[in-house]
């Protein structure tokens, strides 16, 4: 049977580092005829909560919104890892505490990155970044990239990351973050489902070995994001095979941040049976339609 359902389980709004407001994102999803969209802003649930509070649908057609978040994590060796959580209880204390500490520490962290750029002779200030993150609860490097664009230092977010902001750059500074294991535990204790985001996206910086991913799966990780634009065929095959071997969810998603480069909502999708499994396992809150 050919499924007509388009399921995209990873997207960002301007409540973190996406370009579009939550309502704009819904409009785009409807234009793309997406059926199920997870809103997974970095370290905040306010984007999807704004939609849950709306009294009337946004535009034509029904769209199922999956409550989620992408938790910024750091390993003991200082490696950045992103953990997607779906359908967790948004009122859970432990998870909220971790997200709130992370959001707060992103401000001094941003000021440190700016200080390092200034020392290298690049003129940029925190006020420049603040202008590009007015709607955001979570201040991130993409906002700094936007500020560098406005200053004419670079011409795209991509160029900003390649030249100055990537994880291995001399200007990189980390921020408070739970470990991936802590995030998995917190998501699951809050009734949610944990999926490792873009686990083999080596172009972004250091990544886990497959042994380390296997250890996370043994620890209780519920699934792997397989189809992602930053995964080549080898990465996809490796992750798909691991998901099969561990009998966990294998997802595909756009990780949409806005009409940037090749990004398009629904450009990668999750199979309906996988989505059904995630929906059945997620007990911390309910999906809703807009
Ligand atoms: P931060 O949360 O401040 O550490 O920034 C991480 C975000 O920057 C990611 O969620 C992506 O949106 C973006 N990002 C990370 N690496 C890259 C890259 N190499 N090119 C473009 N964007 C990136
Ligand atoms: Zn992002
Ligand atoms: Fe991510
Ligand atoms: Fe993301």
């Amino acid at each position: 049977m050919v499924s007509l359902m388009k399921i995209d389980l990873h997207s960002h709004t301007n409540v973190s580092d996406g370009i579009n407001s939550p309502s704009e994102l819904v409009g785009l999803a409807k234009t793309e005829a997406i059926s199920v969209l997870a809103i997974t802003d970095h370290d905040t649930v306010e984007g999807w909560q704004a939609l849950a509070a709306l009294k009337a649908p946004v535009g034509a057609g029904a769209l199922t919104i999956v409550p989620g978040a992408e938790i910024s994590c750091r390993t003991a060796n200082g490696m950045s890892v992103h953990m997607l959580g779906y359908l967790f209880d948004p009122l859970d204390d432990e998870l909220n505490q971790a997200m709130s500490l992370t959001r707060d520490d992103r401000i001094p962290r941003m000021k440190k990155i700016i200080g390092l750029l200034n020392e290298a002779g690049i003129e940029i200030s925190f006020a420049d970044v603040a202008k590009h993150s007015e709607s955001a609860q979570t201040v991130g490097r993409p906002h700094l990239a936007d500020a560098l664009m406005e200053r004419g230092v670079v011409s795209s977010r991509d160029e900003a990351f390649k030249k100055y902001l990537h994880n291995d750059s001399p200007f990189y500074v980390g921020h408070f973050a739970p470990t991936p294991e802590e995030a998995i535990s917190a998501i699951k204790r809050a009734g949610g489902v944990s999926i490792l985001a873009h686990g083999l996206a080596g172009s972004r910086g250091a990544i886990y070995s497959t042994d380390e991913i296997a250890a996370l799966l043994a620890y209780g990780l519920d699934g792997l994001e397989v189809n992602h634009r930053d995964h080549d065929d080898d990465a996809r095959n490796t992750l798909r095979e691991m998901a099969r071997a561990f009998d966990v969810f294998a997802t595909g998603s756009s990780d949409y941040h806005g009409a940037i480069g090749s990004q398009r909502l629904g450009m990668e999708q999750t199979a309906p049976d996988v989505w059904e499994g995630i929906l059945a396992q997620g007990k911390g809150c309910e999906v809703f339609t807009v």
Side-chain angles (χ1 to χ4, degrees):
M1 195 184 82
V2 177
S3 169
L4 295 174
M5 280 183 88
K6 279 194 188 176
I7 300 160
D8 187 340
L9 296 183
H10 185 166
S11 70
H12 297 272
T13 75
N14 65 0
V15 176
S16 66
D17 58 11
I19 305 285
N20 303 110
S21 70
S23 294
E24 285 167 357
L25 191 69
V26 167
L28 284 170
K30 291 188 175 185
T31 303
E32 297 287 341
I34 287 168
S35 314
V36 179
L37 178 69
I39 296 185
T40 52
D41 276 312
H42 301 283
D43 312 308
T44 177
V45 294
E46 278 201 22
W48 65 258
Q49 283 191 328
L51 292 174
L54 289 182
K55 295 283 181 288
V58 184
L63 169 67
T64 296
I65 299 292
V66 184
E70 185 174 15
I71 309 291
S72 309
C73 305
R74 198 170 54 231
T75 65
N77 323 335
M79 189 176 80
S80 163
V81 172
H82 287 178
M83 192 64 64
L84 291 161
Y86 299 121
L87 296 166
F88 55 81
D89 175 1
L91 299 177
D92 180 78
D93 275 343
E94 188 187 352
L95 213 39
N96 273 304
Q97 173 84 351
M99 288 194 283
S100 150
L101 286 171
T102 301
R103 289 195 305 270
D104 288 351
D105 197 43
R106 281 168 166 278
I107 293 164
R109 176 259 198 155
M110 180 59 69
K111 290 179 176 167
K112 283 182 200 154
I113 298 177
I114 288 167
L116 292 172
L117 288 168
N118 291 159
E119 279 171 28
I122 297 160
E123 256 183 71
I124 192 85
S125 70
F126 187 75
D128 294 330
V129 176
K131 254 200 308 189
H132 292 274
S133 57
E134 274 178 353
S135 59
Q137 294 292 319
T138 310
V139 178
R141 286 174 286 163
H143 300 120
L144 174 54
D146 293 345
L148 290 167
M149 277 167 73
E150 193 183 48
R151 285 264 183 179
V153 179
V154 294
S155 58
S156 66
R157 277 190 177 186
D158 222 38
E159 188 189 346
F161 272 89
K162 283 205 178 81
K163 284 198 175 147
Y164 303 109
L165 305 182
H166 60 89
N167 292 6
D168 303 323
S169 111
F171 305 110
Y172 183 79
V173 178
H175 53 73
F176 168 86
T179 65
E181 288 83 358
E182 284 167 345
I184 292 168
S185 297
I187 290 165
K188 294 182 71 139
R189 257 202 303 271
V193 179
S194 59
I195 306 278
L196 178 65
H198 46 73
L200 291 180
S203 61
R204 292 179 174 215
I207 48 172
Y208 273 134
S209 67
T210 51
D211 282 352
E212 289 168 319
I213 294 176
L216 279 190
L217 289 165
Y219 181 83
L221 176 64
D222 300 302
L224 303 173
E225 188 174 57
V226 173
N227 290 339
H228 184 285
R229 63 175 180 280
D230 291 345
H231 285 159
D232 60 17
D233 286 345
D234 277 353
R236 291 173 193 228
N237 290 335
T238 301
L239 290 167
R240 195 178 298 109
E241 200 37 58
M242 291 188 80
R244 204 190 338 256
F246 281 83
D247 192 24
V248 297
F249 303 121
T251 66
S253 298
S254 66
D255 195 0
Y256 188 75
H257 283 74
I260 305 166
S262 65
Q263 293 184 38
R264 190 161 171 184
L265 265 181
M267 67 190 285
E268 305 282 0
Q269 294 170 29
T270 295
D273 62 316
V274 173
W275 162 235
E276 293 296 331
I278 292 171
L279 180 61
Q281 191 174 318
K283 305 279 189 220
C285 67
E286 304 279 342
V287 300
F288 60 94
T289 56
V290 286

